[in-house]
């Protein structure tokens, strides 16, 4: 079976990616603007690939980064290092979206521009980081990115 933290992670990823009809459309716009799009997850590569395929997003993402590559869970900085190392970029060049407040905090404290996807008007947990941007859905992201 899948352990509880893995199950939660996948449910969260599912919540971010799947039932919302704006997602493919927004990701396509970002792709057309030549942004690199990746998933950074505690999930296993096979489950993540399955999720991406089943949502017809397999031609959208440039990379799926799984913690299996580094053998440690988020919010460990080794996980957040993966895209930085691969793309040879600065931490502040990453827009990091999550529906999880602990992950938004982890990414933000690491140095990413963390964005909280708050679809249900939740209260941000009292953590040591507050996101610079909170959006209700992915469409809200578009006015906030620099157009190329």
């Amino acid at each position: 079976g899948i352990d509880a933290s893995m199950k939660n992670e996948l449910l969260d990823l599912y919540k971010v990616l799947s039932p919302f009809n704006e997602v493919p459309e927004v990701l396509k716009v970002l792709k057309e603007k030549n942004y690199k799009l990746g998933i950074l997850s505690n999930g296993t590569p096979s489950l993540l690939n399955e999720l991406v395929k089943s949502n017809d997003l397999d031609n959208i993402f440039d990379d799926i980064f799984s913690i299996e590559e580094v053998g440690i869970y988020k919010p460990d900085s080794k996980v957040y290092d993966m895209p930085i190392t691969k793309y040879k970029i600065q931490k502040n060049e990453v827009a990091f979206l999550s529906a999880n407040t602990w992950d938004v905090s982890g990414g933000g404290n690491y140095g990413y521009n963390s964005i909280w996807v708050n679809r249900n008007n939740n209260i941000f947990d009292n953590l040591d980081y507050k996101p610079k941007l909170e959006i209700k859905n992915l469409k809200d992201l578009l006015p906030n990115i620099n157009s190329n």
Side-chain angles (χ1 to χ4, degrees), residues 16 22 25 28 33 37 41 45 48 65 69-70 82 89-90 92 95 97 104-105 109-110 121 126 133 140-141 143:
V16 169
E22 93 276 5
E25 171 192 333
K28 282 188 183 82
K33 290 178 179 285
L37 300 175
S41 174
L48 295 169
F65 297 99
E69 293 169 46
V70 288
M82 286 191 284
I89 53 173
Q90 301 300 310
N92 66 358
L97 282 70
V104 170
S105 290
N109 284 326
Y110 172 77
N121 254 345
N126 191 7
L133 186 61
D140 292 349
L141 182 65

Side-chain angles (χ1 to χ4, degrees), residues 3 20 33 70 91 94 117 121 123:
D3 75 36
F20 304 103
K33 290 178 179 285
V70 288
K91 297 172 181 179
V94 174
V117 183
N121 254 345
I123 305 289

Side-chain angles (χ1 to χ4, degrees), residues 9 14 21 34 38 43-44 57 60 64 100 109 127 148:
E9 171 84 12
Y14 181 78
N21 54 9
N34 292 317
T44 64
L57 297 171
I60 293 285
I64 296 176
N100 257 324
N109 284 326
L127 298 162
N148 294 8

Side-chain angles (χ1 to χ4, degrees), residues 19-32:
F20 304 103
N21 54 9
E22 93 276 5
V23 170
E25 171 192 333
V26 171
L27 292 176
K28 282 188 183 82
V29 169
L30 294 172
K31 187 94 176 149
E32 282 159 13

Side-chain angles (χ1 to χ4, degrees), residues 77-78 80-85 88-96 106-114 132:
S77 64
K78 282 195 190 77
Y80 299 117
D81 279 338
M82 286 191 284
I84 302 303
T85 307
K88 299 180 175 53
I89 53 173
Q90 301 300 310
K91 297 172 181 179
N92 66 358
E93 293 179 85
V94 174
F96 181 71
N109 284 326
Y110 172 77
Y112 286 165
N113 292 300
S114 271
K132 291 183 182 69

